[in-house]
Amino acid sequence: MSERGQFTTRIGAIAATVGSAVGLGNIWRFPYETGQHGGAAFIAIYLLCVIIMGVPVIVAEFIVGRKTHKNVCGALRELAPGKKLHWFSGICIAASIMIISFYSVVCGWIVEYLTKAISGGLSSGSTEDYSTMFGAFVTNPYRSVLWTVLFLLANYLVLKRGLKKGIERVANVMMPMLFILLIVFCVNSLMQPGAGEGIKFLFSPDFSAITPRVAIGAMGQAFFSLSLGLSCLLTYSSYFKDSDSLVKNATTVAILDTLVAVLAGIMIFPVVFSYGMTPEQGPKLIFEVLPAIFQQMPGGYVLAVLFFFLLFMASITSTISMSEISIAYFSEELKMSRNQASMLNTGIAIVLGSLCALSFGVLSGFTIFGMTLFDLFDYVSSNLLLPFGGIFFSVFVGWILDRSVVEDELSNHGKLKVRVVKPLIFCLRYVAPVSIVIVFLYGLGIVDKVLQLM
Ligand code: PHE
């Protein structure tokens, strides 16, 4: 176990785990989902989901990882000997590779926009100009593949340096920087004329905008944003120290992740309203609308550079954590060196990521079940595999794992007083699996059918 390594400090462990959770899900997806789904009412439901299923499932993954100090496959084998549950690690690895493949395409766009911002290429033009620019870029077969590959190589350079010198060090530097930048952007946003309009949108709930579909969307968002269900948190917690409090670490991660999402909303909506744009722009918001707004602001050049740099930091700390799932598996189960494991992970991601990047151009006609490869990977992983993983972990820890193991891990073998054991187990046994089954059925389109009948 000692050669496997542990995070050096508790701060390092938290920084890395928050780095995994904070990503495009918070800064890109959360604001536009909120914009499209009625603002504050969506946020209220999102918070409820984080509390009743997010935190319990994080704790469940932490228990399995920290108890065994092993990768997902080894951990399940050790905790449920003879039950043959380690097939589930195949699902985790497949899901993590699918996510990294489509996610790194968007990361590639971010790096392209970062270089554009640095070279002054984002300093003039209207939203229409930026729409044309974005359309031309994503359909260009060379540029989007090139940036996806370069991003994955940067990801590799961190991974091959290992846990302490790579993952922990990058998180320790990038996470504080990310928070500082976010706050600078929030202050700037709140100083815009008419900023109050955006704040009102964000914080005064319109409960009439809530439909079952919106509620279920909020659950899915909570899952993706907290990196739940594919053993990412399990893998990181296998590097936690035995003295860390799992409940404290889980709540810290959930609070910081949610805080970043809300701050991202404060950074974006007042600006959007102040410049006369509408909040329902959807996924294109950060590539088409914000660049057009930045260049009308004083200091727009610097703002654009810092904005895309912030997105870069948020995304690379997430892709590192997705890769670590298979790297831990390759090195511990298949006995590869860290470098070999990182190369294998990067190689697979480069092939599949490039195909996903081409989904917007030359491969846009290549569809499976009516979806391009990019959409298919997104759909299968976010809507099906992650919720499935959430059910697996809550049932495994709530029903299969010995209650004494759960209590021992939560209390660090009796050293900590943990008052929430009972409610946690209740959520793991009943609340989380039932709510996740609903998300799952929604992912399969079954809820939609039922709603149509009603
Ligand atoms: N939580 C990350 C985000 O919000 C995405 C992610 C999903 C990371 C699954 C790791 C595992 O962007």
Side-chain angles (χ1 to χ4, degrees), residues 215-263:
I216 293 164
M219 274 195 248
Q221 168 65 18
F223 244 79
F224 188 79
S225 183
L226 293 170
S227 315
L228 286 180
L230 77 166
S231 80
C232 194
L233 301 178
L234 181 159
T235 308
Y236 269 15
S237 67
S238 73
Y239 307 127
F240 285 179
K241 291 197 173 130
D242 288 332
S243 54
D244 281 3
S245 157
L246 295 186
V247 175
K248 252 197 212 150
N249 280 11
T251 34
T252 312
V253 170
I255 291 173
L256 290 177
D257 184 66
T258 308
L259 182 69
V260 171
V262 173
L263 288 178

Side-chain angles (χ1 to χ4, degrees), residues 20-26 99 103 224-228 230 232 257 318 321-322 386:
S20 166
V22 168
L24 299 176
N26 310 58
I99 296 187
Y103 199 93
F224 188 79
S225 183
L226 293 170
S227 315
L228 286 180
L230 77 166
C232 194
D257 184 66
S318 294
S321 73
M322 295 169 200
L386 294 197

Side-chain angles (χ1 to χ4, degrees), residues 342-366:
S342 313
M343 282 201 314
L344 180 59
N345 171 275
T346 306
I348 300 173
I350 283 181
V351 173
L352 294 175
S354 302
L355 292 174
C356 286
L358 293 173
S359 289
F360 295 87
V362 288
L363 290 185
S364 60
F366 174 75

